[in-house]
Amino acid sequence: MKRVLAHVAIIAVGIGMIYPLLWMVVSSVKPNDEIFSNPGLPSAWTLDNYVVGWDAVGFPFLLFLGNSALVAVISVVGNLFSCTLAAYAFARLEFRFKKLLFAAMLATLMLPFQVILVPQYILFNNLGMVDTFLPLLIPKFLAVDTFFTFLMVQFIRGLPRTLDDAAAIDGCGPFTVFTRILLPLMRPALVVTAAFTFIWTWNDFLSPLLYLNSRESYTVPLALNAFLDSEGASQWGPMFAMSCLSLLPVFLIFLFAQRHLVNGIATSGLK
Amino acid sequence: MFLLPWLIGMIGITLGPMIASLLLSFTDYNFLRAPEWVGIDNYARIFADDPRFLTSLGVTFTYVVVSVPLQLAFALGIAVLLNQGLRGLAFYRSVYYLPSLLGTSVAIAILWRQIFGADGLFNQLLGLAGFEDLPNWIATPELALGTLITLNVWTFGSPMVIFLAGLRQVPSELYEAAAVDGAGRWTRFARITIPMISPVIFFNLILQMIGAFQTFTQAYIVSGGSGGPVDSTLFYTLYLYQKAFRDFDMGYASAMAWILLLIIALFTWLAFATSNRWVHYGED
């Protein structure tokens, strides 16, 4: 009986949480006027909203999806490259000031992004990089997303050091140990890093808002914002249609990587 | 050598800009002319003569103080329910976790704007339940912040997952022993569960608090970048953004950024300082 009650409670809250999402998806295939009057299923199904929304911001939405995908994929490559290197150094190598540098890295976990916002903007502006994707991408190759470096340091520390030692005795240098021994074992941490980097970059609004000015370089969140600005509240159907499209990649990653994601945040939080 | 990219990043785009931002906070800089040293003038203006700054501070504090405990309470409550060895745990956990991944996106903020609009979904449902004369939640100064708090509470999935992992570490013998001694459900929850997972609560508190202080996207989209109505959703970061990139008052914005850093540091320090009273670490 208690079990049944628990199930009922969990399902009820779950439906409450998912209902807004489902409603948005259903609304995107509803006639526009029903969005304001009908909280359930539509009287007729239509793809008009997708057709209207696709060209609503002056360029086909595919351009924005493409921009976002480009930025997100390169960011994933950047983070995988830079964070693994830094994590390997912190977890396995000995060097001067290691403790101090590690503490500095941990401190940046708590650093609000706003503190470096203005000078970073001035820096990239002086380098002539405003309105290119470079300000969004360069930081990813410099291991600025401390969270992932930290996650991987913890992961590598959990791998037995005897593996490294055995490889070293067989004549492997640190680089070979890293690429041949550790990297293949780090797959779960790499998946988590790749998935979260993709999702966070895909959703990111503030950085593109600062650095991308011309419409053809907009990422999806900027395009949605421009759509909202130009149409106000009159075009909810097409807006929901494009919003659904914008959430689709995140949802797909969630479907395929959810086990890794859930385990990733659970362990990084605890150990 | 392995450390090189990180070191360049650390110095070039974290530490360097941090120091630059501190220096800029003592200058008047509008992006066109060279920065001019003005001492503590920015800080003096912020505290003495900027009602909007105090408003933004109030909005942000309210948001953090209300939404973070609510979010954590939901997360812990559902995690405890899920942790009874129910079937379908993995499925439920995923369903609850999904909003956390989507919650900071522009798309969801747009959805929220519709849901809590005058003829939005929320009012449609309330209308079906028989309520009349419903407000436009987004456009009412007293209610607008509440809609954003709801949005943050909605993303309780990620602390919940961390709670679940913590709950699994609590040895079941403790509960059995307590049950034998006649402890009821609530006593067991208050006397065993809470102390045993207090390090996890602490960790989630710090994480969500730091995140909540930096809320930007949702506030920007829901208010169309203005922080309205009547500055009722003027989040700290939104105001900072307006100062830096609409008024081009870069020195002022830098000073605000450093004040934010100090506030977050202070709250984090407070959490750590009081933690020995309520956070119990086991002898592992």
Side-chain angles (χ1 to χ4, degrees), chain A residues 87-100:
Chain A
Y88 174 61
F90 278 122
R92 284 293 205 259
L93 303 180
E94 293 306 324
F95 48 88
R96 273 208 281 175
F97 307 121
K98 179 172 164 178
K99 284 218 166 107
L100 181 75

Side-chain angles (χ1 to χ4, degrees), chain A:
Chain A
M1 186 58 202
K2 249 198 233 156
R3 294 249 141 150
V4 175
L5 274 181
H7 271 289
V8 169
I10 286 167
I11 292 172
V13 179
I15 290 174
M17 288 187 63
I18 294 301
Y19 175 66
L21 287 176
L22 291 179
W23 180 79
M24 177 164 77
V25 176
V26 171
S27 292
S28 74
V29 291
K30 251 182 206 178
N32 210 16
D33 55 320
E34 283 189 33
I35 292 175
F36 302 104
S37 54
N38 173 5
L41 292 172
S43 60
W45 303 82
T46 166
L47 285 177
D48 283 356
N49 289 329
Y50 284 84
V51 175
V52 174
W54 191 259
D55 289 311
V57 198
F59 293 93
F61 213 75
L62 186 65
L63 175 71
F64 309 125
L65 291 168
N67 287 341
S68 271
L70 183 72
V71 172
V73 168
I74 298 178
S75 297
V76 168
V77 173
N79 263 352
L80 285 179
F81 164 78
S82 63
C83 297
T84 48
L85 286 183
Y88 174 61
F90 278 122
R92 284 293 205 259
L93 303 180
E94 293 306 324
F95 48 88
R96 273 208 281 175
F97 307 121
K98 179 172 164 178
K99 284 218 166 107
L100 181 75
L101 291 174
F102 191 68
M105 183 188 79
L106 285 186
T108 62
L109 266 177
M110 288 181 203
L111 187 72
F113 179 57
Q114 286 74 16
V115 172
I116 52 176
L117 191 75
V118 166
Q120 226 181 68
Y121 182 84
I122 296 169
L123 173 72
F124 283 122
N125 187 56
N126 288 342
L127 293 171
M129 289 178 182
V130 168
D131 212 22
T132 71
F133 294 141
L134 291 173
L136 308 179
L137 299 176
I138 289 173
K140 308 289 178 187
F141 283 87
L142 301 175
V144 168
D145 286 339
T146 306
F147 174 78
F148 299 119
T149 310
F150 182 63
L151 180 90
M152 289 196 223
V153 168
Q154 298 299 71
F155 195 88
I156 295 176
R157 280 181 180 164
L159 298 172
R161 214 178 246 273
T162 44
L163 288 175
D164 306 33
D165 297 341
I169 290 168
D170 287 349
C172 291
F175 189 73
T176 325
V177 171
F178 172 62
T179 54
R180 292 283 180 82
I181 312 285
L182 292 175
L183 266 188
L185 292 172
M186 285 170 66
R187 205 170 147 262
L190 300 180
V191 172
V192 171
T193 300
F196 274 120
T197 303
F198 188 94
I199 292 171
W200 289 349
T201 315
W202 184 271
N203 284 343
D204 185 24
F205 177 62
L206 180 55
S207 301
L209 182 67
L210 291 181
Y211 290 114
L212 305 177
N213 303 326
S214 49
R215 238 172 219 198
E216 59 265 34
S217 59
Y218 272 14
T219 56
V220 170
L222 286 186
L224 286 175
N225 180 44
F227 192 5
L228 191 68
D229 274 350
S230 62
E231 300 294 344
S234 60
Q235 288 267 42
W236 285 114
M239 208 126 67
F240 282 161
M242 293 306 108
S243 297
C244 289
L245 278 187
S246 81
L247 294 180
L248 191 63
V250 178
F251 185 69
L252 289 177
I253 290 180
F254 165 76
L255 275 189
F256 289 111
Q258 44 156 316
R259 224 158 248 286
H260 285 291
L261 296 185
V262 165
N263 291 336
I265 57 170
T267 48
S268 67
L270 283 175
K271 273 280 157 180

Side-chain angles (χ1 to χ4, degrees), chain B residues 8 47 71 84 98 112 130 135 141 145 150 177 241 256 265 272 275:
Chain B
I8 296 173
F47 285 110
Q71 187 197 32
Q84 307 175 78
L98 181 62
W112 237 249
L145 185 57
T150 330
Y241 170 82
M256 279 186 68
F272 272 100
S275 68

Side-chain angles (χ1 to χ4, degrees), chain B residues 194-260:
Chain B
I194 296 279
M196 285 301 284
I197 63 160
S198 55
V200 187
I201 300 178
F202 180 68
F203 174 82
N204 270 335
L205 178 69
I206 301 266
L207 211 63
Q208 297 303 325
M209 194 181 70
I210 293 176
F213 266 114
Q214 299 180 58
T215 305
F216 177 79
T217 307
Q218 302 90 310
Y220 185 98
I221 295 294
V222 166
S223 70
S226 71
V230 221
D231 287 347
S232 62
T233 60
L234 186 69
F235 276 72
Y236 197 99
T237 53
L238 186 55
Y239 187 45
L240 194 155
Y241 170 82
Q242 290 180 355
K243 273 291 171 198
F245 297 99
R246 286 197 185 158
D247 306 345
F248 294 103
D249 205 342
M250 299 279 185
Y252 198 85
S254 299
M256 279 186 68
W258 271 86
I259 294 172
L260 179 66

